[in-house]
Structure formats: structure tokens, C-alpha cells
Amino acid sequence: MSRELGEFLRSRRARIKPSDVGLPAGLRRRVPGLRRDEVASLAGVSVEYYVRLEQGRTAGVSDSVLDAVGRALRLDAVERTHLGNLVRPSDGDTGPNRVQPNVQRLIDLMDTVPAAVLGKRLDVLAYNTLADAVCGFSAHPEAERNMARQTFLNPTAHLFYPEWDKVAAETVAYLRLEAGRWPDDAGLAALVGELSIKNDVFRRLWARHDVKDKVFGRKVMNHDLVGELEVEWQTFALPGDVGQHLLTYIPVAGSATADKLAVLASWTASSPRSSQLTS
């Protein structure tokens, strides 16, 4: 994790112009952004102390120092969480890959809303019939039921997501956040390695060290039967199941998506199904 910490800090100071923080640009800058000594000065720590932090030598680093560095680098709330994860990585259980039966029953009852349960690494652990009708989870082998893998390795992803660039960036930023939260997750490391090898865009986005939590947002999907779907997605952490989140797709107000989802729901009503998966 020491290498990840150093790369993250360097990427964050590289994006800040000296003029952004009231410093002169100077004439001899070998790298873009702030120098280490400038970050140290802004954070109120010695240059040696900050250099040790970038080197991953984090023993004894206090919360106040992390807060000061976060302010100096203008980190947002998610980036500060990521910094804390990198400095004090978790060695705990990353949670099960099987959903509780009552959670499966809950999403089955949500027959007007596409709903799924995502595990760590964005694995799709469970879904209701309407989510399957929208995303086609059951059309893929269990090992491929992963939102990141579908985004970057499915050749039809660019057609399904008209705003594919946005979806791709958000997906990578969330995986980067999870990688900091669960550094010992071998499955997550394997997924990142696979996507880095097989997709140039993923590799480029991963190198940016951007982080973003998967909480809410807006997404456009191009369904092959009913056309464009505009939804607002929301995730809810499932208490007691570390790393699991309930994902829902709600039609954007004023769009035709609600009617289109009703059509899909009517087509699937005659053959209801549910699925509980492991990865």
C-alpha cells in the first residue's frame, strides 16, 4: 500500500497550480503542480515528515496531520476517506458474497423498480426480474455478472451506455476507492489486473487515482427493446453485510422511462424468477 499512497499523493498535488493556493509559479518547475516542500508548508509539517508520508512510512501519523495534508491538497470528503484507508488499511473481513434470504425477498417484492445487490468488486450477487429485464444479468455466466467487467469487456457496452465515458470513469473511481478500503482482497486485485490488461481505457483511468463513492447518480441506458431509459440510481449499504449494497434504478421525473419499465415488467410477470448468486 506504500506505493499506492505515494502515487495518490503525487497525483493530487500534480493537479494543483501554485497560483491556486497563492504561491508564485516560479521559473524552474520540473513537475506540474505543487512541490513536496510547498505541500509541507501548506500543511504545517516539515518537508522530511511529508516526504516520509509519500514514501509510505506512515507509522505514528496522526489524524490531525492527515486532515492538514487533506486541506493542503484540497481533497474532497471521499478523497480524504481514501487517504485514511491508504494510511491505515483494513485487515478485516470484506464480507460474504451471498445475500441474506430476506434481502432477496425484499428485492423480489420491488416489482416496479429494477433492484440488485452488489458486493465488493461490483459483483452482482442478486437481482429481481425487472433488473434482469433491463440489464440482462441472467444472459451471462455467473463469473461475468460484474458491473465493471460488463462495462469494460462487453463489446456492446458502448451501445448500452450512451454516456459510456461517464460510466467508465465512475466505475474505475469506485473500484479505486474499494481497493484502498480492502487492500488484501485478492479477488479485487485480480479483477483490476484483468481489466488493466484487457482494456486500455481502464488502465488509463486507473492511473489517474480518482476516487468516488457509489451513492447516487443519473444514468442513461439504451435498451434493445424499449429504447432509452433515464434513471436515477441510488445505493443503500446493507447493515450486517460488509461490502454489500442495494442498488435501485428510479425513473427520472418527467421521462418516459416509467412507462417503458412498466412494459418490461408486464413482459416478465408471466414468468417471475429471482436469483441468488455467489462469485
Side-chain angles (χ1 to χ4, degrees):
M1 291 302 291
S2 60
R3 180 176 63 85
E4 296 291 332
L5 173 59
E7 290 179 354
F8 175 66
L9 290 173
R10 286 190 291 273
S11 72
R12 298 307 90 174
R13 62 182 173 87
R15 69 182 181 176
I16 302 176
K17 297 178 182 178
S19 58
D20 293 339
V21 291
L23 295 173
L27 298 177
R28 295 187 178 183
R29 286 189 173 269
R30 294 178 295 177
V31 295
L34 299 180
R35 297 190 300 260
R36 291 186 181 92
D37 62 302
E38 292 169 333
V39 176
S41 177
L42 291 169
V45 300
S46 70
V47 177
E48 292 77 12
Y49 194 106
Y50 179 76
V51 169
R52 289 201 302 271
L53 186 61
E54 273 204 8
Q55 291 173 341
R57 297 154 60 189
T58 59
V61 176
S62 66
D63 290 340
S64 61
V65 168
L66 292 182
D67 288 341
V69 170
R71 289 193 299 272
L73 294 175
R74 298 190 168 187
L75 303 185
D76 62 24
V78 177
E79 290 172 326
R80 291 184 184 220
T81 296
H82 185 59
L83 175 60
N85 291 337
L86 294 177
V87 171
R88 302 187 182 94
S90 171
D91 56 0
D93 183 11
T94 55
N97 275 347
R98 182 178 297 276
V99 302
Q100 298 294 331
N102 61 327
V103 175
Q104 180 66 69
R105 289 195 294 270
L106 171 65
I107 63 175
D108 285 340
L109 291 171
M110 300 168 66
D111 54 3
T112 63
V113 176
V117 176
L118 303 183
K120 56 184 184 293
R121 317 176 215 127
L122 294 178
D123 293 321
V124 181
L125 305 182
Y127 50 88
N128 64 10
T129 55
L130 192 50
D132 191 25
V134 171
C135 300
F137 295 128
S138 62
H140 302 283
E142 289 186 15
E144 296 179 10
R145 291 172 190 159
N146 174 280
M147 301 295 278
R149 188 172 280 112
Q150 287 299 314
T151 299
F152 288 98
L153 301 185
N154 190 326
T156 65
H158 286 77
L159 298 176
F160 184 68
Y161 295 122
E163 299 174 336
W164 184 87
D165 290 345
K166 175 186 174 184
V167 173
E170 290 177 345
T171 299
V172 174
Y174 179 73
L175 285 182
R176 175 63 83 173
L177 181 64
E178 287 293 274
R181 183 176 290 137
W182 308 113
D184 297 326
D185 189 318
L188 178 55
L191 175 64
V192 170
E194 176 189 5
L195 296 178
S196 297
I197 292 171
K198 295 182 178 180
N199 191 283
D200 292 340
V201 176
F202 180 90
R203 184 167 58 251
R204 184 170 67 251
L205 291 171
W206 187 257
R208 285 173 19 184
H209 286 267
D210 293 339
V211 289
K212 183 176 182 179
D213 208 351
K214 190 175 181 63
V215 180
F216 62 87
R218 182 173 292 202
K219 181 176 292 186
V220 179
M221 295 173 287
N222 186 27
H223 195 275
D224 57 355
L225 296 178
V226 297
E228 188 174 275
L229 300 171
E230 298 179 80
V231 299
E232 292 177 325
W233 57 267
Q234 184 90 37
T235 65
F236 306 88
L238 295 179
D241 290 321
V242 178
Q244 290 190 10
H245 293 79
L246 172 63
L247 168 68
T248 58
Y249 287 151
I250 309 298
V252 171
S255 71
T257 298
D259 292 337
K260 294 177 181 179
L261 289 178
V263 170
L264 289 176
S266 67
W267 290 344
T268 60
S270 59
S271 56
R273 59 169 299 281
S274 65
S275 177
Q276 182 166 317
L277 313 174
T278 59
S279 63

